[in-house]
Amino acid sequence: MNVMKFGGTSVGSAQRIKNVASLVSSRGRNIVVLSAMSGTTNQLLKITDSLKSGDISEASTLIGQLREKYSKEISELIDDPAYRDEALSKIGGIIDSVATKLDKKIEAIDEKEIVACGELMSTNMMDCYMRSIGMNVAFLQALDFMAVDDQGEPDLDYIEAHIAPLIAINPDADVYLTQGFICRNADGEIDNLQRGGSDYSASLIGAAVDADEIEIWTDIDGMHNNDPRFVEGTKPVSKLHFEEAAELAYFGAKILHPTCVLPAKNKNIPVRLLNTMTPEAPGTLIYNTEADYKIKAIAAKDDITAIKIKSGRMLLAYGFLRKVFEIFETHRTPIDMITTSEVGVSVTIDNDRNLDAIVEDLSAYGAVTIDRDMVIVCVVGDLEWKNRGFEAEVVNALKEIPIRMISYGGSNYNISVLIRKEDKQKALNLLSLHLFN
Ligand code: ASP
Ligand code: MG
C-alpha cells in the first residue's frame, strides 16, 4: 500500500479534484492524504486575524466568501443531487463552526480549530465526490489517529496504534482518505503540524502503516537539477538520497522540508515526487540510495551575509571558535557555512536581525568585516571525499566568478560556494553547463 498526498493546488478546483479522484482510482488501494484547497488555509488565517483584532464584519465577509466559493465548487463537482446535498450540508456545517467564533473572544484553541477546517472541507468534498462516482471510500479522520506529544512532536507509536484498526475494519475499501496537516495535541485539542504540514502527515502515515512508498503529488515533475527560474533546460532528478534531498531542501530548493521526510527516512520508505499533470512521468525518487558518486543538483540560497573575524590576540588560542560561536548562540542566530584559516574565520548567516549586536560582540576578538547580498550556491550529490575531482569540477566551472568562501567536507553530500548576488544567474548556468552536459 502507498500513501498518496495531494497538495493544495492539486485539489484547487472542482476539476482538479475530479482529476485526483480518477488518478487515485487507477492506482489501486492506497491511503490518500489531502491538503486544503489552495488559498483556503490563508483565508482561514485571515479570519482568525480579523477575529483577533475584533473586526467582526471583516471576519463575516471572509466567511461569506468561503461559503460562496465552496458551494460553487461543490455544485460543479458533484452531479448526483443526493451526494451534492450531503457535501453542501457537511461543508456548510464546517463553515458554521467557524461562524460560531464570531460571537466569542477568540483563543489559541479557536484559531487551531478554524485553521483545521481547510483539510476537513477538502476531504469531505472528496469523500462525497468519490462515493458519488461509485468508489468505496474508507474515510479516516486524522483527528482520530494523528497526534503530537507535549513537545509538539508527532507520537508515532500512538499514530501506529490508532490508524491500524481504522484500516483493518475496512479491508474492502477502494481507497482510504484522510486529512493532512491536522492532529490532536497532548491535551486532546485540535492542533496542526505547522504550515505545509501535509507532507509531514503523509510521511508519518507512511511510517505508521509501513507503506511501500510515499507519493507526494504536486504540479511539477519532481525535483529539478537546477533552478528553472534562472537556468533553461533543467531536468528532473530521477533519484536522490534522503541526505541529498535534505541538503537541497535546506539550500532553497522547492522540495520537501527535511524534517518532514524524517519518519520515512527512519523506516527506509521511499518518497516519490510526482506530477498530477503528467502522472506517467517517473518524477523524483528519494530513498537511501546506493552510492553512485554522482553530482545530482544545484540549489541556491539568497540574502546571505558573510562575516569575517580576523586575527586579534585570541588567535590560535584554544577557545577562540567557541567564543565566536557563543556570540551567535547568544543572539539566536544560526550559522550556515563556515570556513577557517589560521588567522581568521568566516561564517554566513541568513537572518541578520541581530547583526549589529553580533558585530559589536565579535569586535572584542578581532577585526570584523561584513559582505552583504551574497548567495550560497550548493552543489549536491554523492560526493564522498575519497573520489577525486568533484570539488575541482565545481571550482573549474566557476573560474570566471569571484568566490568569497568554499565549503566542502561538512557532509559527503554537498559542496557550497559563497558568491555575490549579481553573479548568481551566471554561476548557476555555468554549473549546469559544466556538470550536467
Ligand atoms: N493547508 C496547510 C497549509 O497550507 C497544510 C498544507 O497544505 O500542507 O499550510
Ligand atoms: Mg498548502
Side-chain angles (χ1 to χ4, degrees):
M1 189 151 64
N2 289 356
V3 174
M4 306 175 75
K5 179 260 169 177
F6 295 88
T9 30
S10 302
V11 292
S13 68
Q15 187 52 51
R16 305 212 58 181
I17 293 177
K18 289 184 190 178
N19 294 349
V20 167
S22 103
L23 202 149
V24 163
S25 65
S26 70
R27 296 215 161 208
R29 182 181 297 139
N30 295 306
I31 303 178
V32 171
V33 179
L34 301 186
S35 288
M37 292 179 84
S38 55
T40 294
T41 306
N42 286 340
Q43 176 98 353
L44 293 165
L45 286 168
K46 272 201 225 159
I47 294 172
T48 63
D49 284 346
S50 11
L51 288 173
K52 277 194 281 188
S53 63
D55 194 343
I56 305 300
S57 92
E58 170 71 2
S60 42
T61 307
L62 293 165
I63 293 173
Q65 289 169 358
L66 269 188
R67 276 195 208 283
E68 212 174 297
K69 172 190 164 68
Y70 278 82
S71 52
K72 184 183 142 280
E73 299 290 355
I74 292 168
S75 310
E76 215 176 303
L77 179 66
I78 307 177
D79 295 332
D80 186 313
Y83 291 103
R84 187 171 54 220
D85 288 348
E86 183 187 340
L88 285 168
S89 125
K90 283 188 167 150
I91 277 68
I94 295 169
I95 299 178
D96 288 345
S97 77
V98 178
T100 60
K101 314 278 187 193
L102 289 169
D103 316 318
K104 63 181 291 231
K105 190 176 162 298
I106 171 156
E107 290 168 36
I109 169 74
D110 299 301
E111 287 182 57
K112 303 261 179 69
E113 285 177 9
I114 292 174
V115 80
C117 290
E119 274 69 13
L120 293 173
M121 292 195 285
S122 63
T123 47
N124 271 287
M125 275 167 78
M126 183 65 90
D127 171 49
C128 293
Y129 173 67
M130 284 177 156
R131 284 188 288 116
S132 81
I133 57 167
M135 290 173 73
N136 178 4
V137 184
F139 192 6
L140 317 182
Q141 300 302 324
L143 297 178
D144 292 340
F145 64 84
M146 188 57 75
V148 293
D149 62 19
D150 52 5
Q151 305 295 311
E153 289 297 320
D155 184 342
L156 196 56
D157 291 336
Y158 182 98
I159 300 167
E160 258 177 55
H162 287 77
I163 196 170
L166 299 176
I167 292 173
I169 55 168
N170 285 296
D172 302 324
D174 294 327
V175 59
Y176 301 94
L177 174 66
T178 189
Q179 299 88 10
F181 180 58
I182 63 176
C183 64
R184 289 201 186 270
N185 61 27
D187 297 323
E189 297 163 347
I190 293 183
D191 211 319
N192 61 64
L193 300 172
Q194 314 289 329
R195 289 308 306 269
S198 295
D199 291 343
Y200 205 3
S201 303
S203 176
L204 288 162
I205 293 169
V209 305
D210 251 317
D212 299 314
E213 206 169 281
I214 297 160
E215 302 172 357
I216 306 290
W217 290 85
T218 61
D219 41 14
I220 34 167
D221 47 356
M223 167 72 215
H224 276 231
N225 63 2
N226 205 332
D227 190 333
R229 291 168 302 179
F230 296 94
V231 179
E232 268 177 44
T234 60
K235 294 201 184 77
V237 182
S238 59
K239 282 180 201 157
L240 281 175
H241 194 281
F242 278 115
E243 303 286 350
E244 294 168 337
E247 299 273 4
L248 285 169
Y250 181 69
F251 284 100
K254 283 241 175 259
I255 193 180
L256 302 167
H257 195 273
T259 55
C260 289
V261 292
L262 213 57
K265 177 179 175 351
N266 291 343
K267 284 226 169 167
N268 206 3
I269 300 172
V271 175
R272 199 186 284 273
L273 311 180
L274 290 157
N275 186 353
T276 49
M277 304 304 211
T278 51
E280 59 294 340
T284 299
L285 185 62
I286 304 170
Y287 68 119
N288 291 318
T289 47
E290 300 282 304
D292 62 6
Y293 313 121
K294 285 204 178 103
I295 293 179
K296 311 279 173 38
I298 297 153
K301 191 171 176 187
D302 298 336
D303 297 324
I304 302 292
T305 302
I307 305 167
K308 180 161 71 187
I309 310 105
K310 190 170 161 271
S311 192
R313 58 198 144 59
M314 284 310 294
L315 187 76
L316 291 181
Y318 40 77
F320 173 61
L321 284 177
R322 180 174 58 76
K323 293 207 163 68
V324 168
F325 290 149
E326 243 168 32
I327 290 168
F328 288 88
E329 187 182 343
T330 310
H331 296 290
R332 301 176 142 271
T333 300
I335 292 170
D336 287 331
M337 227 175 127
I338 311 167
T339 55
T340 64
S341 85
E342 296 280 331
V343 292
V345 49
S346 277
V347 303
T348 69
I349 58 173
D350 72 345
N351 170 355
D352 62 2
R353 227 179 314 140
N354 299 321
L355 184 63
D356 292 344
I358 290 171
V359 170
E360 195 184 320
D361 290 358
L362 288 174
S363 302
Y365 301 106
V368 180
T369 26
I370 305 293
D371 293 295
R372 289 175 194 272
D373 285 330
M374 307 296 284
V375 173
I376 296 176
V377 172
C378 161
V379 175
V380 165
D382 183 14
L383 313 174
E384 225 271 337
W385 69 272
K386 286 173 186 148
N387 298 292
R388 275 174 296 164
F390 294 125
E391 61 292 338
E393 280 181 57
V394 171
V395 173
N396 194 38
L398 295 177
K399 62 177 182 254
E400 294 161 31
I401 307 255
I403 295 178
R404 167 71 182 78
M405 286 166 69
I406 303 177
S407 175
Y408 172 53
S411 88
N412 279 341
Y413 300 96
N414 117 50
I415 299 170
S416 298
V417 294
L418 186 72
I419 60 170
R420 297 179 305 203
K421 180 177 158 192
E422 58 265 39
D423 296 326
K424 171 178 169 180
Q425 176 136 18
K426 190 172 172 195
L428 293 180
N429 278 282
L430 283 170
L431 285 167
S432 261
L433 183 71
H434 289 272
L435 303 180
F436 301 135
N437 282 335

